[in-house]
Amino acid sequence: MTAGACRFCGAGLEHTFCDLGMSPLSNAFLSASQLGEVEPFYPLHAYVCGSCFLVQLRQFESPRQIFSDAYAYFSSYSDTWLEHARAYTEQMVGRFKFGPASLVVEIASNDGYLLQYFKRGNVPVLGIEPAANCARAAQKAGIPTLVKFFGAELAVELKAQGKSADLLLGNNVLAHVPALNDFVRGLKVLLKPQGVITMEFPHLLNLMRENQFDTIYHEHFSYFPFFTAEQVFARQGLKLFDVEKLPTHGGSLRIYGAHAEDRTKATSARVAQLLDEEARFGIADLRSYGNFAEQAKQTRRKLLEFLVDAKAAGKTIVGYGAPAKGNTLLNYCGVHSDLVGYTVDRSPHKQGKFLPGTHIPIFDPERIRQTRPDYILILPWNIKEEVMAQMAHVRDWGAKFVIPIPEAQVLS
Ligand SMILES: [Zn+2]
């Protein structure tokens, strides 16, 4: 029996990568009145394709349900992410000389947090964002934004209107696309003959090496080795001519794509280097994927051990942040408000709500100053430095920070 077909190559999915049990959708925050209602839980079971080695989830919810108006993620609330966007813009303009005659198109442009930097540099922009509330925030800030899902159909439509992209970018969107081949076909259609595509996504190699099982959640359909990303683009007549490793989200890749027939882009040595690194890891060998599920179980045991011991010693523990990865972690580990009393988040859209599944309440970060907990569990561990700097005052009463991944660890 197979669990369906690979969303890239169509081979039957037979090999479990990691089964995280049943979990609610990670962005399905609850209001107080919803706490007594039935909450949908879905299997969170990742498979690895034995043919192309794409790690993937089956799709249970349609993207329209996931990215509805209630979608609570506004990019602009993270300082680290804003700085990442600003530096990216500078790098792209410097390297590819985009100017007033260019068009930069961002897919899943959120509230316009990134395109604002191109706009300030007088480079024309277009955002494409399916979540209407995020798109409205962008339009209000003067960033032209279409409230649409990107795919081949929209690309053809835009091209017919005379629009095509000098730079076509998507950060953390490739992983969230259910119809992967249709999406990449759309990139091919919308790209100018000498245009550049950049896409960022968490690198599967890091996920495995650093035990980042909490980055697996329902809205995140695909987990790529570079090896597989290259095949996905090649199938649509696109080549990857460069790649960079980034520290974002615990270790991401930024890939650079162009038309296969574009002779103006030399292929960087970094492409062969990364393919070689992945080959040495055994990325195209199913045996390399066999230990991951056990690592996740060990991490769960260590986190629970820490929390239970701390509670037994009379300590108080609260969370910081309400990211998607936190929901996977807390649901998989079975951590409820008896262990982690509450969490805090800077986004006013999340404050006053409850985490899905675990029903841990979310407050304004100020709550930590008022209640003086002993431990603060940083759920977005990928931005732990930023969190620790913002919350430096907790050291006044001797509070300590804890990260859950790659294993529970108290930071002094
Ligand atoms: Zn496959």
Side-chain angles (χ1 to χ4, degrees):
M1 199 194 87
T2 78
C6 170
R7 73 168 35 87
F8 167 52
C9 77
L13 295 175
E14 293 166 4
H15 309 282
T16 288
F17 176 62
C18 189
D19 183 355
L20 297 170
M22 301 291 283
S23 210
L25 294 181
S26 64
N27 283 305
F29 297 100
L30 303 169
S31 62
S33 64
Q34 287 172 310
L35 290 179
E37 291 171 13
V38 174
E39 200 179 351
F41 278 60
Y42 303 87
L44 191 50
H45 189 152
Y47 294 86
V48 55
C49 174
S51 294
C52 72
F53 301 95
L54 182 68
V55 169
Q56 57 200 288
L57 301 179
R58 291 169 61 202
Q59 188 189 341
F60 286 96
E61 289 281 290
S62 79
R64 262 162 243 281
Q65 281 167 282
I66 293 174
F67 299 107
S68 70
D69 218 31
Y71 192 58
Y73 188 70
F74 277 72
S75 300
S76 296
Y77 289 99
S78 162
D79 297 340
T80 308
W81 197 240
L82 279 176
E83 174 50 26
H84 177 75
R86 194 203 54 76
Y88 165 82
T89 307
E90 203 167 89
Q91 193 185 334
M92 291 304 112
V93 170
R95 179 168 175 182
F96 300 109
K97 314 291 173 220
F98 300 119
S102 312
L103 178 64
V104 174
V105 178
E106 183 180 14
I107 301 165
S109 51
N110 210 288
D111 59 2
Y113 72 99
L114 186 149
L115 289 178
Q116 65 176 335
Y117 296 108
F118 282 105
K119 187 170 177 265
R120 273 180 220 170
N122 285 323
V123 181
V125 298
L126 175 65
I128 300 172
E129 170 55 57
N133 58 344
C134 293
R136 268 196 304 273
Q139 286 157 350
K140 227 180 258 176
I143 310 287
T145 303
L146 297 174
V147 187
K148 296 251 174 162
F149 280 95
F150 183 79
E153 192 185 329
L154 179 62
V156 168
E157 219 175 278
L158 289 170
K159 201 169 182 198
Q161 294 167 15
K163 292 194 175 84
S164 51
D166 294 273
L167 175 63
L168 192 45
L169 74 114
N171 290 334
N172 300 304
V173 57
L174 202 59
H176 292 80
V177 169
L180 180 60
N181 291 324
D182 179 77
F183 180 91
V184 179
R185 200 172 302 132
L187 299 179
K188 173 81 180 171
V189 170
L190 194 58
L191 190 67
K192 276 195 189 160
Q194 295 186 0
V196 175
I197 297 167
T198 73
M199 295 271 141
E200 294 177 22
F201 51 83
H203 190 194
L204 180 64
L205 210 62
N206 270 304
L207 187 155
M208 292 169 73
R209 280 179 175 156
E210 303 289 325
N211 198 22
Q212 299 163 352
F213 67 86
D214 60 338
T215 61
I216 299 173
Y217 50 88
H218 294 106
E219 297 87 335
H220 191 173
F221 298 121
S222 306
Y223 306 80
F224 296 86
F226 182 63
F227 165 80
T228 305
E230 198 179 45
Q231 297 171 55
V232 171
F233 278 72
R235 175 177 286 194
Q236 307 301 337
L238 295 164
K239 64 176 174 187
L240 300 185
F241 65 92
D242 200 358
V243 60
E244 279 175 87
K245 289 183 179 180
L246 308 171
T248 46
H249 295 286
S252 296
L253 295 180
R254 176 185 292 151
I255 56 170
Y256 290 76
H259 289 289
E261 57 276 18
D262 180 355
R263 305 248 172 249
T264 65
K265 313 272 187 312
T267 300
S268 150
R270 289 188 287 209
V271 169
Q273 279 161 11
L274 184 54
L275 288 172
D276 188 50
E277 183 189 340
E278 289 190 338
R280 278 183 277 120
F281 178 85
I283 207 77
D285 181 344
L286 273 176
R287 285 171 300 183
S288 313
Y289 299 80
N291 290 331
F292 188 74
E294 187 50 38
Q295 282 179 41
K297 286 180 198 160
Q298 276 178 29
T299 303
R300 166 163 67 178
R301 287 193 288 267
K302 281 186 180 150
L303 178 64
L304 284 172
E305 223 171 85
F306 168 78
L307 294 174
V308 169
D309 288 353
K311 286 307 270 192
K315 307 288 187 191
T316 50
I317 310 153
V318 305
Y320 185 98
K325 58 167 70 67
N327 288 319
T328 293
L329 180 87
L330 298 171
N331 277 292
Y332 173 64
C333 297
V335 173
H336 293 241
S337 55
D338 58 326
L339 291 175
V340 172
Y342 64 83
T343 191
V344 298
D345 199 278
R346 287 169 84 195
S347 167
H349 301 277
K350 294 180 183 174
Q351 294 164 7
K353 300 243 165 98
F354 296 80
L355 297 182
T358 61
H359 296 188
I360 292 173
I362 310 167
F363 294 106
D364 183 282
E366 195 47 34
R367 178 92 173 187
I368 289 183
R369 199 193 299 273
Q370 293 157 4
T371 63
R372 300 162 74 101
D374 298 301
Y375 291 108
I376 298 164
L377 177 65
I378 303 178
L379 296 171
W381 43 261
N382 53 305
I383 55 164
K384 61 176 185 287
E385 282 86 9
E386 177 183 340
V387 173
M388 287 164 71
Q390 268 169 32
M391 303 298 291
H393 60 274
V394 307
R395 298 182 197 280
D396 295 351
W397 66 85
K400 291 195 169 77
F401 296 100
V402 181
I403 49 161
I405 300 286
E407 61 176 45
Q409 191 190 347
V410 177
L411 305 174
S412 44

